Amino acid sequence: MPTLTTKDGTELFYKDWGTGQPIVFHHGWPLTADDWDAQMLFFLSQGYRVIAHDRRGHGRSSQTADGNEMDTYAADVAELAAHLDLKEAVHIGHSTGGGEVARYVARHGGAGRVAKAVLIGAVPPIMVRTEANPEGLPIEAFDGFRAALVANRAQFFLDVPAGPFYGFNRPGAQVSQGVIDNWWRQGMMGGAKAHFDCIKAFSETDFTEDLKAIDVPVLVLHGEDDQIVPIADSAFRSITLLKNGTLKTYPGLPHGMCTTHPDVINPDLLAFIQH
């Protein structure tokens, strides 16, 4: 399995398939590069080079005790982009991965490294409620995540996909046990300490200045029935901070819409990349 050893000795697992313009996929918490299967196969078939890594502490990468925060996540991506000599890449991030994309592009995306970016159901500008972000979620919500992870991570990692992540808790939802099981499988591959730390990273990191600093075109996609990252305090605010942003929302679609509705999302991603 291809891995990159970073400057601090962390092994990052990655996939790198195909040739052509590179598209780099950044997964959500607590998942892995496998969460992008439907997108990677699609874009590979369209003639692109597709790349996805397991964030440190997640999946097949080192189960790190340290560095489980956004500055290091972005620096890891910068090392990977340099290692693979990526030029004019499109970076696509879902949820926590959207925060990673925002920080990476803002801080490391110069010198022709990045052509465009996409934020899907993404956590920026900031999730937690603060004086500057009164519409955010209360810290108690994220404390609940931490408590559930510590108490019974395996059960928590069944409850999230079986319920709000894919909207399987909605009346009439077409529930896929395979999708639930695959979320659980990906989650349990990672390290509990990294997953615990990453809750703070995705909920309390403020990406406001990152979004303002990005010069390349950015597509913001969000499901209007996202129960994990509420649209009003994320996509609707991010689009006002971006210099060159385009917003598209999807009535009734959930947080995990790339998995539940790839037939809808993939063509929209392709149109943005080709435009």
Side-chain angles (χ1 to χ4, degrees), residues 86-161:
L86 302 182
K87 303 282 175 58
E88 293 298 312
V90 179
H91 285 263
I92 301 178
H94 174 242
S95 197
T96 300
E100 182 176 275
V101 166
R103 181 134 301 176
Y104 166 74
V105 174
R107 295 194 179 180
H108 307 280
R113 288 276 184 212
V114 179
K116 295 180 179 180
V118 185
L119 308 178
I120 305 176
V123 298
I126 182 172
M127 285 193 74
V128 75
R129 182 180 298 163
T130 64
E131 284 189 17
N133 185 38
E135 302 301 314
L137 294 170
I139 190 70
E140 290 79 13
F142 304 107
D143 289 341
F145 278 20
R146 282 182 275 263
L149 188 149
V150 170
N152 190 340
R153 184 168 67 129
Q155 186 60 49
F156 182 43
F157 283 7
L158 283 175
D159 295 342
V160 173

Side-chain angles (χ1 to χ4, degrees), residues 15 17 36 39 44 81 107 117 132 141 157 164 169 176 218 264:
K15 308 177 190 188
W17 305 339
W36 291 107
Q39 283 67 48
L44 185 65
R107 295 194 179 180
F157 283 7
N169 54 350
S176 167
V218 181
V264 175

Side-chain angles (χ1 to χ4, degrees), residues 245-263:
T246 302
L247 174 65
K248 181 159 188 176
T249 68
Y250 299 87
L253 292 201
H255 186 61
M257 63 186 182
C258 290
T259 297
T260 59
H261 295 79
D263 56 320

Side-chain angles (χ1 to χ4, degrees), residues 182-199:
N182 192 39
W183 201 102
W184 184 89
R185 175 191 68 84
Q186 292 177 68
M188 295 307 292
M189 288 167 71
K193 174 64 163 63
H195 287 165
F196 184 93
D197 292 350
C198 190
I199 295 170

